[in-house]
Amino acid sequence: MSFGDLLFVSPYLTTAFKTGVIALAEGIAVGRSFSMFKNDHIDGNKEMIAIGMMNVAGSCTSCYLTTWPFPRSAVNYNAGCKTAMSNVVMAIAVMFTLLFLTPLFHYTPLVVLSAIIIAAMLGLIDYEAAIHLWKVDMFDFVVCMSACIGVAFGSVEISLVLVVAISVIRVLLFLARPRTFVQGNLPNSMVYRNVDQYPNASNVPGILILEIDAPIYFANTNYLRERITRWINDEEDRIKSAGESSLQYLLVT
């Protein structure tokens, strides 16, 4: 028991907070990664409660920091493990190895142990998903590659800080410079969609329908005013060249 040895003072508290944030981020990321392979749903709140309760209990019994380790999870996944009982079997095997078989593994090269982890993780790298991100959204691709490069050439802490910083910048840019689309009416329906994504959508005569993909507030008002004015000018030029009725209304959604 180690409850009496807990110290809630600096620098231990700062180190515990930093390590806890990293463990939480890694655990939820690992859980979501494997949930996508099995089409399962992961509740982030329950994951946080589980990791917190594990470490609170472990701190009172001299345990290491506990999280969802990606290498061991990959080994279990590729070995065909289906339930949490695999962790019980693994814990018993590790305990038996530490007590009786340690001399046999004393001279095992680290490269052999690393090869086991690398072999298990190679099958989990989804190259097609990265290529799909490149085609769909280059900013998401930059976040993905930043995480990989940060872990490979730095540490988990560097990767986490880098990815969070890039994501915050993305959110700020998205709010300050939201995307705007022209919507058109789909044939034989009352549904309106983006004319760039739906080529068969037609413009409503005399009406310009704009969709703003973000809330309107003080930080993006000037940008939206310029964008809306540009859309109006482009629509009026198109109407003149097509000989249609003049623009009468502007509808912003």
Side-chain angles (χ1 to χ4, degrees):
M1 301 299 294
S2 60
F3 182 80
D5 298 327
L6 299 178
L7 299 175
F8 297 97
V9 295
S10 182
Y12 306 108
L13 192 61
T14 304
T15 303
F17 177 78
K18 180 179 70 173
T19 309
V21 170
I22 296 173
L24 179 62
E26 181 181 4
I28 294 179
V30 171
R32 288 179 176 175
S33 298
F34 285 97
S35 69
M36 290 189 295
F37 288 106
K38 296 186 177 183
N39 294 323
D40 292 334
H41 174 69
I42 294 295
D43 189 339
N45 292 329
K46 292 182 179 180
E47 295 291 314
M48 293 174 64
I49 294 174
I51 295 175
M53 294 301 296
M54 281 194 308
N55 287 288
V56 168
S59 299
C60 300
T61 53
S62 303
C63 290
Y64 284 112
L65 174 70
T66 307
T67 184
W68 313 143
F70 195 84
R72 285 194 290 274
S73 299
V75 172
N76 277 10
Y77 178 79
N78 287 331
C81 299
K82 301 297 183 181
T83 67
M85 190 63 190
S86 61
N87 294 326
V88 177
V89 176
M90 182 174 60
I92 295 174
V94 170
M95 181 181 67
F96 182 81
T97 301
L98 292 175
L99 291 176
F100 305 106
L101 302 179
T102 303
L104 299 178
F105 294 96
H106 181 71
Y107 296 102
T108 302
L110 292 179
V111 66
V112 175
L113 302 178
S114 301
I116 298 175
I117 298 175
I118 293 174
M121 294 181 64
L122 284 178
L124 300 177
I125 299 177
D126 194 348
Y127 300 99
E128 295 181 356
I131 297 174
H132 179 70
L133 281 179
W134 171 265
K135 295 179 179 179
V136 174
D137 194 328
M138 292 184 61
F139 214 117
D140 283 345
F141 177 79
V142 171
V143 174
C144 175
M145 295 308 300
S146 299
C148 295
I149 294 174
V151 172
F153 298 99
S155 63
V156 176
E157 294 91 338
I158 295 176
S159 175
L160 183 61
V161 172
L162 185 62
V163 170
V164 169
I166 296 176
S167 300
V168 170
I169 293 174
R170 174 184 172 82
V171 172
L172 294 177
L173 289 176
F174 177 77
L175 293 176
R177 301 176 66 87
R179 294 177 297 180
T180 56
F181 310 99
V182 175
Q183 289 191 336
N185 179 237
L186 296 179
N188 302 321
S189 71
M190 296 297 293
V191 179
Y192 294 83
R193 290 293 184 266
N194 183 0
V195 295
D196 292 332
Q197 297 179 352
Y198 294 83
N200 59 336
S202 59
N203 295 318
V204 180
I207 301 176
L208 175 60
I209 305 174
L210 291 180
E211 176 187 358
I212 300 177
D213 198 15
I216 301 176
Y217 69 115
F218 70 95
N220 58 20
T221 53
N222 290 332
Y223 173 77
L224 288 177
R225 184 184 296 111
E226 295 175 359
R227 288 295 302 166
I228 292 174
T229 302
R230 188 180 304 173
W231 279 117
I232 293 175
N233 294 333
D234 292 342
E235 182 68 11
E236 289 178 343
D237 293 339
R238 186 192 67 80
I239 290 175
K240 289 180 181 179
S241 61
E244 300 176 358
S245 59
S246 62
L247 182 62
Q248 299 293 328
Y249 301 99
L250 170 66
L251 178 60
V252 178
T253 63

